Amino acid sequence: MNDLRLRNGDRVVVVGGGPAGSFAALHLLAAARQAGLECQVDIYEPRDLFTPGAVRNCKGCAGILSAGAVEHMASLGLTIPPEVIQSELRVYQVHVAGQMTTIEQPVAGRRILSVYRGAGPRRGAGPPPASFDGFLLGQAVAAGARTIHARVRKVSWEDRPVVHTDSGSAAADLLVLATGVNSRPPLDESFGYRPPGSEVMVQDEIARPDNWPGDTVVGFFGQPPGLLFGALVPKGEYLNVSLLWRGRGAGGGGAAKGVAGALQQFYAAHAPVLRHFFPADPPSLCGCNPRILTGPAAVYYGDRWVSVGDAAASHLFKDGIHSAFITARAAMTAAVTAGIGREDFRNAYEPVCRGIAVDNRYGAVLYSVTSRLLGLPRVARAFSGAVHAEEGLGFGRQFHARLLWGMLTGDEPYARLFRLALAPRGLAAFARQMMAGGI
């Protein structure tokens, strides 16, 4: 029978100091204190979180904290400092097939925030904004973790995980892999780790024009052809531009075009809308081609090791920071209360990741169907009309506005949104709009 457990004085190594790694350290230290257990927690993080630019510190994401993420962080006693919050997002303006639909936060008091994972765009002006990752890592250190500024080159197995850096090697009683999808996993083949599936995105930062409301995200579906979604998210003085094409890489079948070509194609397709804010294509301040998860890792735990966040499972296209919190909490609770063997993680951690993967299947269907249907002008008009017809109704009586809000923000599980999309009253309201020819 496997009896691997954490004991007093054991060393826990966390590879990666992003949200998943910091959350893992915070959850483990909190659970260990509650259990009367003392462990040494070391976080290996090579990034400089205080120098602007994608190459040195950014993780290439939109940097949105969902309402669920904000609420769960508060449960850990984490209050996000005002200087870390770039914008509070209350309004989404969505453009589909020539139709514009505006929806606002349907539940009063729930906060959606934009942050910088690093220290802002490489070619930004003025002092760099505060780093969310830097804040979280600081909280982990304050809770008792230690930061080691070194890149883990390899993790080998020598009766337990052994971490190798340029300056030496050290054994770990438990290794937590929190490298994310945009870093090369350092585990050697003996661990059997298989990274999650992913797609290439296009990301950029541009200056936010004066007439762009600081609380409003503008999103686009369906254009250019193959675009799954595009969004411009306020971050203080800047806008984050995030584009994802359906299974075709950056630029809608043109990964070779690079960031500049993909952005040019996107701006040209939406010139009638964007020219209201930009007289010409806005200059790029920090473009990149990060990856985003499309499925879970195939093998993500074993004896004395476990992966969390993007290295294990994450909500499809949205809510990555919240997913990091959820997986880190489940894995570290399992490590302290159940054990650190393969079977312990199978029984106490795998069900959480499996639940995320199942929910993502509903999300994949929703994105596939809506992106195709909303590309049809009559359907887009009818959907927009159904959203407008729900204005002023309570949260429980909304179908189309709530569906759109949930898909854009990650505020509700995809399975719940899927059921909402098939609700008879919602389908009847949509049918009435179709019969009326939309708006």
Side-chain angles (χ1 to χ4, degrees):
M1 182 176 178
N2 193 335
D3 62 349
L4 292 175
R5 301 190 68 85
L6 285 175
R7 294 174 170 82
N8 282 324
D10 276 357
R11 182 174 187 248
V12 179
V13 168
V14 181
V15 182
S22 293
F23 284 142
L26 286 162
H27 281 298
L28 186 134
L29 289 165
R33 280 194 299 271
Q34 189 172 3
L37 183 66
E38 293 186 6
C39 294
Q40 176 183 337
V41 179
D42 291 338
I43 303 173
Y44 283 75
E45 175 51 63
R47 288 183 298 152
D48 168 14
L49 297 171
F50 306 101
T51 301
V55 175
R56 295 192 178 189
N57 64 54
C58 182
K59 281 294 187 178
C61 74
I64 295 179
L65 295 175
S66 69
V70 174
E71 292 168 2
H72 271 130
M73 287 178 63
S75 72
L76 258 184
L78 298 175
T79 300
I80 306 170
E83 63 271 18
V84 172
I85 300 171
Q86 300 305 311
S87 298
E88 185 158 352
L89 308 176
R90 299 182 179 89
V91 179
Y92 276 68
Q93 185 187 101
V94 185
H95 296 264
V96 183
Q99 301 296 308
M100 184 186 79
T101 302
T102 300
I103 51 176
E104 299 184 8
Q105 169 62 269
V107 181
R110 285 176 65 83
R111 305 178 72 199
I112 298 177
L113 310 175
S114 69
V115 298
Y116 271 112
R117 297 280 308 278
R122 186 169 62 253
R123 290 181 289 274
S131 164
F132 176 76
D133 284 23
F135 157 70
L136 270 188
L137 191 56
Q139 294 297 299
V141 170
R146 182 175 67 164
T147 302
I148 299 176
H149 294 288
R151 184 176 299 280
V152 174
R153 300 296 183 182
K154 180 181 178 181
V155 180
S156 61
W157 180 264
E158 301 172 26
D159 186 46
R160 64 195 60 226
V162 177
V163 175
H164 303 269
T165 68
D166 291 338
S167 59
S169 60
D173 296 292
L174 172 65
L175 181 124
V176 181
L177 183 68
T179 50
V181 72
N182 286 297
S183 299
R184 182 186 63 82
L187 302 182
D188 71 24
E189 292 184 359
S190 63
F191 288 85
Y193 175 68
R194 296 294 179 269
S198 62
E199 288 273 7
V200 177
M201 294 191 70
V202 170
Q203 295 271 355
D204 197 10
E205 305 287 336
I206 59 178
R208 180 169 68 89
D210 293 337
N211 61 341
W212 190 294
D215 65 350
T216 300
V217 177
V218 176
F220 300 88
F221 285 88
Q223 290 293 327
L227 181 75
L228 198 59
F229 66 81
L232 287 83
V233 180
K235 287 188 178 182
E237 299 178 358
Y238 304 102
L239 293 173
N240 170 268
V241 184
S242 296
L243 311 177
L244 177 66
W245 273 266
R246 187 188 300 114
R248 297 169 66 185
K257 296 178 182 179
V259 175
L263 289 168
Q264 185 179 33
Q265 187 181 4
F266 173 75
Y267 294 146
H270 299 288
V273 175
L274 297 177
R275 286 295 176 260
H276 177 67
F277 302 101
F278 308 104
D281 289 356
S284 169
L285 300 179
C286 200
C288 63
N289 278 136
R291 304 195 75 86
I292 187 170
L293 258 64
T294 57
V299 178
Y300 50 90
Y301 59 81
D303 287 347
R304 295 189 180 276
W305 74 275
V306 64
S307 59
V308 295
D310 278 1
S314 182
H315 290 113
L316 184 69
F317 302 149
K318 298 287 183 296
D319 219 12
I321 295 174
H322 193 198
S323 300
F325 182 100
I326 291 169
T327 55
R329 178 181 60 186
M332 296 304 96
T333 300
V336 172
T337 62
I340 54 174
R342 180 185 302 274
E343 291 304 313
D344 301 313
F345 289 124
R346 184 195 307 277
N347 295 330
Y349 176 49
E350 183 180 315
V352 173
C353 294
R354 193 187 309 126
I356 293 173
V358 169
D359 193 62
N360 284 346
R361 292 177 195 147
Y362 288 98
V365 173
L366 283 172
Y367 274 103
S368 177
V369 172
T370 56
S371 65
R372 285 176 168 83
L373 289 180
L374 293 181
L376 304 173
R378 189 179 176 208
V379 173
R381 288 195 301 270
F383 188 86
S384 181
V387 171
H388 284 292
E390 293 173 348
E391 291 179 0
L393 297 180
F395 179 73
R397 299 174 61 194
Q398 293 180 348
F399 295 93
H400 305 86
R402 186 173 153 196
L403 173 64
L404 192 56
W405 180 267
M407 289 183 64
L408 290 168
T409 66
D411 242 10
E412 295 191 70
Y414 286 124
R416 188 183 302 163
L417 296 176
F418 187 86
R419 291 191 294 270
L420 192 70
L422 297 179
R425 284 190 296 168
L427 291 174
F430 177 74
R432 287 193 295 271
Q433 292 292 330
M434 284 290 290
M435 292 175 65
I439 60 170

